[in-house]
Amino acid sequence: RHMVDRLAITAFAFVALVLGLHPMLGQVVFWATGGIVYLLPLLLLAAWLATMARIAEGKPAYGGTIGVLALGVLAGNSIELAWGALAIVGLAVLVHVRDQPQPLRHAAAALAGAIAGGAILATAPGNFVRATATERSFSFDAPWLAGEYLQMLGQVFAQVPGLVVGLVVLLQVL
């Protein structure tokens, strides 16, 4: 069990570094508000994921239904990059505990909170102001988006060898 926990934590850290934080590590470490912008949402997401793992094991969520609802709102409202993980894990846990009343109630509250938090973030007036400051922020031009995505993936994969070395070191430390 301990090895599984170590691997899960390491995998989560690796994915966060490769897909989310790696291009911005300097900002996260040296920019005064980087911790609020990137690290606090990561901690909230980790707490939400740990809670969902507890629920998936049939255990009650800390704080009960109201506590997990509040945690979901905070996680969903913290950063839009987490919405995919929140949705996938939330739905998977709902399906997994569908025959267990208390875990089902807690999983539904956690997912509902995440959806509500995401809706609050998506409709915040500041996002619309920000969109006017950055060219093509809210563009849904599929060819352009695909090109941008492929360029980003190229940059990420260029960093993989160094990150694999970091992952090996991290595994040894844990």
Coordinates of all heavy atoms in Angstrom, one line a residue, residues 96-158:
H96 N -18.4 4.5 -9.2 CA -17.8 3.4 -8.4 C -18.6 3.2 -7.1 O -18.7 2.1 -6.6 CB -16.4 3.8 -8.0 CG -15.7 2.8 -7.1 ND1 -15.3 1.6 -7.6 CD2 -15.3 2.9 -5.8 CE1 -14.7 1.0 -6.6 NE2 -14.7 1.7 -5.5
V97 N -19.2 4.3 -6.5 CA -19.9 4.2 -5.2 C -21.4 4.3 -5.4 O -22.1 4.5 -4.4 CB -19.4 5.3 -4.2 CG1 -17.9 5.1 -3.9 CG2 -19.7 6.7 -4.7
R98 N -21.9 4.1 -6.6 CA -23.3 4.3 -6.9 C -24.3 3.5 -6.0 O -25.4 3.8 -5.8 CB -23.6 4.0 -8.4 CG -23.4 2.6 -8.8 CD -23.6 2.5 -10.3 NE -23.3 1.1 -10.7 CZ -22.1 0.7 -11.0 NH1 -21.0 1.5 -10.9 NH2 -21.9 -0.6 -11.4
D99 N -23.8 2.4 -5.4 CA -24.7 1.5 -4.6 C -24.5 1.7 -3.1 O -25.0 1.0 -2.3 CB -24.4 0.0 -4.9 CG -24.8 -0.3 -6.4 OD1 -25.7 0.3 -6.9 OD2 -24.1 -1.2 -7.0
Q100 N -23.7 2.8 -2.7 CA -23.4 3.0 -1.3 C -23.9 4.4 -1.0 O -23.3 5.4 -1.4 CB -21.9 3.0 -1.1 CG -21.2 1.7 -1.5 CD -19.7 1.8 -1.4 OE1 -19.2 2.2 -0.4 NE2 -19.1 1.3 -2.5
P101 N -25.0 4.5 -0.2 CA -25.7 5.8 0.0 C -24.8 7.0 0.5 O -24.8 8.0 -0.1 CB -26.8 5.5 0.9 CG -27.1 4.0 0.8 CD -25.7 3.4 0.4
Q102 N -24.1 6.7 1.6 CA -23.3 7.8 2.1 C -22.1 8.2 1.2 O -22.0 9.4 0.9 CB -22.7 7.5 3.5 CG -22.0 8.6 4.1 CD -21.4 8.3 5.5 OE1 -20.9 7.2 5.6 NE2 -21.4 9.2 6.4
P103 N -21.3 7.3 0.7 CA -20.2 7.7 -0.2 C -20.8 8.4 -1.5 O -20.2 9.3 -2.0 CB -19.5 6.4 -0.6 CG -19.7 5.5 0.6 CD -21.1 5.9 1.1
L104 N -21.9 7.9 -2.0 CA -22.6 8.5 -3.2 C -23.0 9.9 -2.9 O -22.7 10.8 -3.7 CB -23.8 7.7 -3.6 CG -24.5 8.2 -4.8 CD1 -23.6 8.2 -6.0 CD2 -25.8 7.3 -5.1
R105 N -23.5 10.2 -1.7 CA -23.9 11.5 -1.3 C -22.7 12.4 -1.2 O -22.7 13.6 -1.7 CB -24.7 11.5 0.0 CG -25.3 12.8 0.4 CD -26.2 12.7 1.7 NE -25.5 12.1 2.8 CZ -25.7 10.9 3.3 NH1 -26.6 10.2 2.8 NH2 -25.1 10.5 4.4
H106 N -21.6 11.9 -0.6 CA -20.4 12.7 -0.5 C -19.8 13.0 -1.9 O -19.3 14.1 -2.2 CB -19.4 12.0 0.4 CG -19.8 12.1 1.8 ND1 -19.2 11.4 2.8 CD2 -20.9 12.7 2.5 CE1 -19.8 11.7 4.0 NE2 -20.8 12.4 3.8
A107 N -19.7 12.0 -2.7 CA -19.1 12.1 -4.1 C -20.0 13.1 -4.9 O -19.4 14.0 -5.6 CB -19.0 10.8 -4.8
A108 N -21.3 13.0 -4.8 CA -22.1 14.0 -5.5 C -21.9 15.4 -5.0 O -21.9 16.3 -5.8 CB -23.6 13.5 -5.4
A109 N -21.8 15.6 -3.7 CA -21.6 16.9 -3.2 C -20.2 17.4 -3.6 O -20.1 18.6 -4.0 CB -21.6 16.9 -1.6
A110 N -19.2 16.6 -3.6 CA -17.9 17.1 -4.1 C -17.9 17.5 -5.5 O -17.3 18.5 -5.9 CB -16.9 15.9 -3.9
L111 N -18.6 16.7 -6.4 CA -18.6 17.0 -7.8 C -19.5 18.3 -8.0 O -19.2 19.1 -8.8 CB -19.1 15.8 -8.6 CG -19.2 16.0 -10.1 CD1 -17.8 16.4 -10.7 CD2 -19.7 14.8 -10.8
A112 N -20.6 18.3 -7.3 CA -21.5 19.5 -7.5 C -20.8 20.8 -7.0 O -20.9 21.8 -7.7 CB -22.8 19.3 -6.6
G113 N -20.0 20.7 -6.0 CA -19.2 21.8 -5.5 C -18.2 22.2 -6.5 O -18.0 23.4 -6.8
A114 N -17.5 21.2 -7.1 CA -16.5 21.6 -8.2 C -17.2 22.2 -9.4 O -16.6 23.2 -9.9 CB -15.8 20.3 -8.6
I115 N -18.4 21.7 -9.8 CA -19.1 22.3 -10.9 C -19.5 23.8 -10.6 O -19.3 24.7 -11.4 CB -20.3 21.5 -11.3 CG1 -19.8 20.2 -11.9 CG2 -21.2 22.2 -12.3 CD1 -20.9 19.1 -12.1
A116 N -20.0 24.0 -9.4 CA -20.4 25.3 -8.9 C -19.2 26.2 -8.9 O -19.3 27.4 -9.3 CB -21.1 25.2 -7.6
G117 N -18.1 25.8 -8.3 CA -16.9 26.6 -8.3 C -16.4 26.9 -9.7 O -16.0 28.1 -9.9
G118 N -16.4 26.0 -10.6 CA -16.0 26.2 -11.9 C -17.0 27.3 -12.6 O -16.5 28.1 -13.4
A119 N -18.3 27.2 -12.3 CA -19.2 28.1 -12.9 C -18.9 29.5 -12.4 O -19.0 30.5 -13.1 CB -20.6 27.7 -12.6
I120 N -18.6 29.6 -11.1 CA -18.3 30.9 -10.5 C -17.1 31.5 -11.2 O -17.0 32.7 -11.6 CB -18.1 30.8 -9.0 CG1 -19.4 30.5 -8.3 CG2 -17.5 32.1 -8.4 CD1 -19.3 30.0 -6.9
L121 N -16.1 30.7 -11.4 CA -14.8 31.2 -12.0 C -15.1 31.6 -13.5 O -14.6 32.6 -13.9 CB -13.7 30.1 -11.9 CG -12.4 30.5 -12.5 CD1 -11.8 31.7 -11.8 CD2 -11.4 29.3 -12.4
A122 N -15.8 30.7 -14.2 CA -16.0 31.0 -15.6 C -16.8 32.2 -15.9 O -16.6 32.9 -16.9 CB -16.7 29.8 -16.2
T123 N -17.7 32.6 -15.0 CA -18.6 33.7 -15.2 C -18.1 35.0 -14.5 O -18.7 36.0 -14.5 CB -20.0 33.4 -14.7 OG1 -20.0 33.1 -13.4 CG2 -20.6 32.3 -15.6
A124 N -16.9 34.9 -13.8 CA -16.3 36.1 -13.1 C -16.1 37.2 -14.1 O -15.5 37.0 -15.2 CB -15.1 35.7 -12.4
P125 N -16.5 38.4 -13.8 CA -16.3 39.5 -14.8 C -14.9 39.8 -15.2 O -14.6 40.1 -16.3 CB -16.9 40.7 -14.0 CG -17.8 40.2 -13.0 CD -17.2 38.8 -12.6
G126 N -14.0 39.5 -14.3 CA -12.5 39.7 -14.6 C -12.1 38.8 -15.8 O -11.2 39.2 -16.5
N127 N -12.7 37.7 -16.0 CA -12.3 36.8 -17.1 C -12.6 37.5 -18.4 O -11.9 37.3 -19.4 CB -12.9 35.4 -17.0 CG -12.2 34.6 -16.0 OD1 -11.0 34.7 -15.8 ND2 -12.9 33.7 -15.4
F128 N -13.7 38.2 -18.5 CA -14.1 38.8 -19.7 C -13.2 40.0 -20.0 O -12.9 40.3 -21.1 CB -15.6 39.2 -19.7 CG -16.5 38.0 -19.6 CD1 -17.1 37.7 -18.4 CD2 -16.7 37.1 -20.7 CE1 -17.9 36.5 -18.3 CE2 -17.4 36.0 -20.6 CZ -18.1 35.7 -19.4
V129 N -12.8 40.7 -19.0 CA -11.9 41.8 -19.1 C -10.5 41.3 -19.6 O -9.9 41.8 -20.5 CB -11.7 42.6 -17.8 CG1 -10.6 43.6 -17.9 CG2 -13.1 43.3 -17.4
R130 N -10.1 40.2 -19.0 CA -8.8 39.6 -19.3 C -8.8 39.1 -20.8 O -7.8 39.2 -21.5 CB -8.5 38.4 -18.4 CG -7.2 37.7 -18.7 CD -6.9 36.6 -17.7 NE -7.9 35.5 -18.0 CZ -7.8 34.3 -17.3 NH1 -7.0 34.1 -16.4 NH2 -8.7 33.4 -17.6
A131 N -9.9 38.6 -21.2 CA -10.1 38.2 -22.6 C -9.8 39.3 -23.6 O -9.3 39.0 -24.7 CB -11.4 37.5 -22.8
T132 N -10.2 40.5 -23.3 CA -10.0 41.6 -24.2 C -8.5 42.0 -24.2 O -8.1 42.7 -25.2 CB -10.9 42.8 -23.8 OG1 -10.5 43.3 -22.5 CG2 -12.4 42.4 -23.9
A133 N -7.8 41.7 -23.2 CA -6.4 42.1 -23.1 C -5.4 41.1 -23.9 O -4.3 41.5 -24.2 CB -5.9 42.2 -21.7
T134 N -5.9 39.9 -24.1 CA -5.0 38.9 -24.7 C -5.7 38.5 -26.0 O -6.8 38.0 -26.0 CB -4.9 37.7 -23.8 OG1 -4.4 38.1 -22.5 CG2 -3.9 36.7 -24.4
E135 N -4.9 38.6 -27.1 CA -5.4 38.3 -28.4 C -5.8 36.8 -28.5 O -5.1 35.9 -28.0 CB -4.4 38.6 -29.5 CG -4.8 38.3 -30.9 CD -3.7 38.6 -31.9 OE1 -2.6 39.2 -31.5 OE2 -3.9 38.2 -33.0
R136 N -7.0 36.6 -29.0 CA -7.5 35.2 -29.2 C -7.7 34.4 -28.0 O -7.8 33.2 -28.0 CB -6.6 34.5 -30.2 CG -6.5 35.2 -31.6 CD -5.7 34.4 -32.5 NE -6.7 33.6 -33.3 CZ -6.4 33.0 -34.4 NH1 -5.2 33.1 -34.9 NH2 -7.3 32.3 -35.1
S137 N -7.9 35.1 -26.8 CA -8.1 34.3 -25.6 C -9.3 33.4 -25.6 O -9.2 32.3 -25.1 CB -8.4 35.3 -24.4 OG -7.2 35.9 -24.0
F138 N -10.4 33.9 -26.2 CA -11.6 33.1 -26.2 C -11.9 32.6 -27.7 O -13.0 32.4 -28.0 CB -12.8 33.9 -25.7 CG -12.8 33.9 -24.2 CD1 -11.9 34.8 -23.5 CD2 -13.6 33.1 -23.4 CE1 -11.9 34.8 -22.1 CE2 -13.6 33.2 -22.0 CZ -12.7 34.0 -21.4
S139 N -10.8 32.4 -28.4 CA -11.0 32.0 -29.8 C -11.3 30.5 -29.8 O -10.6 29.7 -29.2 CB -9.7 32.2 -30.6 OG -9.8 31.7 -31.9
F140 N -12.3 30.1 -30.7 CA -12.6 28.7 -30.8 C -12.3 28.2 -32.3 O -13.0 27.4 -32.8 CB -14.1 28.4 -30.4 CG -14.3 28.6 -28.9 CD1 -14.9 29.7 -28.5 CD2 -13.8 27.7 -28.0 CE1 -15.1 29.9 -27.1 CE2 -14.0 27.8 -26.7 CZ -14.6 29.0 -26.2
D141 N -11.3 28.8 -32.8 CA -10.8 28.5 -34.2 C -10.0 27.2 -34.1 O -8.9 27.2 -33.7 CB -10.0 29.7 -34.7 CG -9.4 29.4 -36.1 OD1 -9.8 28.4 -36.8 OD2 -8.5 30.2 -36.5
A142 N -10.7 26.1 -34.5 CA -10.1 24.8 -34.3 C -8.7 24.6 -34.9 O -7.8 24.1 -34.2 CB -11.1 23.7 -34.8
P143 N -8.5 25.0 -36.2 CA -7.1 24.8 -36.7 C -6.1 25.6 -35.9 O -5.0 25.1 -35.7 CB -7.2 25.3 -38.1 CG -8.7 25.2 -38.5 CD -9.4 25.5 -37.2
W144 N -6.4 26.8 -35.5 CA -5.4 27.6 -34.7 C -5.2 27.0 -33.4 O -4.0 26.9 -32.9 CB -6.0 29.1 -34.6 CG -5.1 29.9 -33.8 CD1 -3.9 30.5 -34.2 CD2 -5.2 30.3 -32.4 NE1 -3.3 31.2 -33.1 CE2 -4.1 31.1 -32.0 CE3 -6.2 30.0 -31.4 CZ2 -3.9 31.6 -30.7 CZ3 -6.0 30.5 -30.1 CH2 -4.9 31.3 -29.8
L145 N -6.3 26.6 -32.7 CA -6.1 25.9 -31.4 C -5.3 24.6 -31.5 O -4.4 24.4 -30.7 CB -7.5 25.6 -30.8 CG -8.3 26.8 -30.3 CD1 -9.7 26.4 -29.9 CD2 -7.6 27.5 -29.1
A146 N -5.5 23.8 -32.6 CA -4.7 22.6 -32.8 C -3.3 22.9 -33.0 O -2.4 22.3 -32.4 CB -5.3 21.8 -34.0
G147 N -3.0 24.0 -33.7 CA -1.6 24.4 -33.9 C -0.9 24.8 -32.6 O 0.2 24.4 -32.4
E148 N -1.6 25.6 -31.9 CA -1.1 26.1 -30.6 C -0.9 24.9 -29.6 O 0.1 24.8 -28.9 CB -2.1 27.0 -29.9 CG -2.2 28.4 -30.6 CD -0.9 29.2 -30.5 OE1 -0.4 29.4 -29.4 OE2 -0.4 29.6 -31.6
Y149 N -1.8 23.9 -29.6 CA -1.7 22.8 -28.8 C -0.5 21.9 -29.2 O 0.3 21.5 -28.3 CB -3.0 22.0 -28.8 CG -3.0 20.8 -27.9 CD1 -3.1 20.9 -26.5 CD2 -2.9 19.5 -28.4 CE1 -3.1 19.8 -25.7 CE2 -3.0 18.4 -27.6 CZ -3.0 18.6 -26.2 OH -3.0 17.5 -25.3
L150 N -0.3 21.7 -30.5 CA 0.8 20.9 -30.9 C 2.1 21.6 -30.6 O 3.1 20.9 -30.2 CB 0.7 20.6 -32.4 CG -0.5 19.6 -32.8 CD1 -0.6 19.6 -34.3 CD2 -0.2 18.3 -32.2
Q151 N 2.2 22.9 -30.7 CA 3.4 23.6 -30.4 C 3.7 23.5 -28.9 O 4.8 23.2 -28.5 CB 3.2 25.1 -30.7 CG 4.4 25.9 -30.4 CD 4.2 27.4 -30.7 OE1 3.2 27.8 -31.2 NE2 5.3 28.2 -30.5
M152 N 2.6 23.6 -28.1 CA 2.8 23.4 -26.6 C 3.3 22.0 -26.3 O 4.2 21.8 -25.5 CB 1.5 23.7 -25.9 CG 1.7 23.6 -24.4 SD 0.5 22.7 -23.4 CE -0.2 21.5 -24.3
L153 N 2.7 21.0 -26.9 CA 3.2 19.6 -26.7 C 4.6 19.4 -27.1 O 5.4 18.7 -26.4 CB 2.3 18.6 -27.5 CG 0.9 18.3 -26.9 CD1 0.2 17.3 -27.8 CD2 1.0 17.7 -25.5
G154 N 5.0 20.0 -28.2 CA 6.4 19.9 -28.6 C 7.3 20.5 -27.6 O 8.4 19.9 -27.3
Q155 N 7.0 21.6 -27.0 CA 7.8 22.2 -25.9 C 7.8 21.3 -24.7 O 8.8 21.2 -24.0 CB 7.2 23.6 -25.6 CG 7.4 24.6 -26.7 CD 6.7 25.9 -26.4 OE1 5.9 26.0 -25.5 NE2 6.9 26.9 -27.2
V156 N 6.7 20.7 -24.3 CA 6.6 19.9 -23.2 C 7.5 18.6 -23.4 O 8.3 18.3 -22.6 CB 5.2 19.4 -22.9 CG1 5.1 18.3 -21.9 CG2 4.4 20.6 -22.4
F157 N 7.3 18.0 -24.6 CA 8.1 16.8 -24.8 C 9.6 17.0 -24.9 O 10.4 16.1 -24.6 CB 7.6 16.0 -26.1 CG 6.3 15.3 -25.8 CD1 5.2 15.6 -26.6 CD2 6.1 14.5 -24.8 CE1 4.0 15.0 -26.4 CE2 4.9 13.8 -24.5 CZ 3.8 14.1 -25.4
A158 N 10.0 18.2 -25.3 CA 11.4 18.6 -25.3 C 12.0 18.6 -23.9 O 13.2 18.4 -23.7 CB 11.6 20.0 -26.0

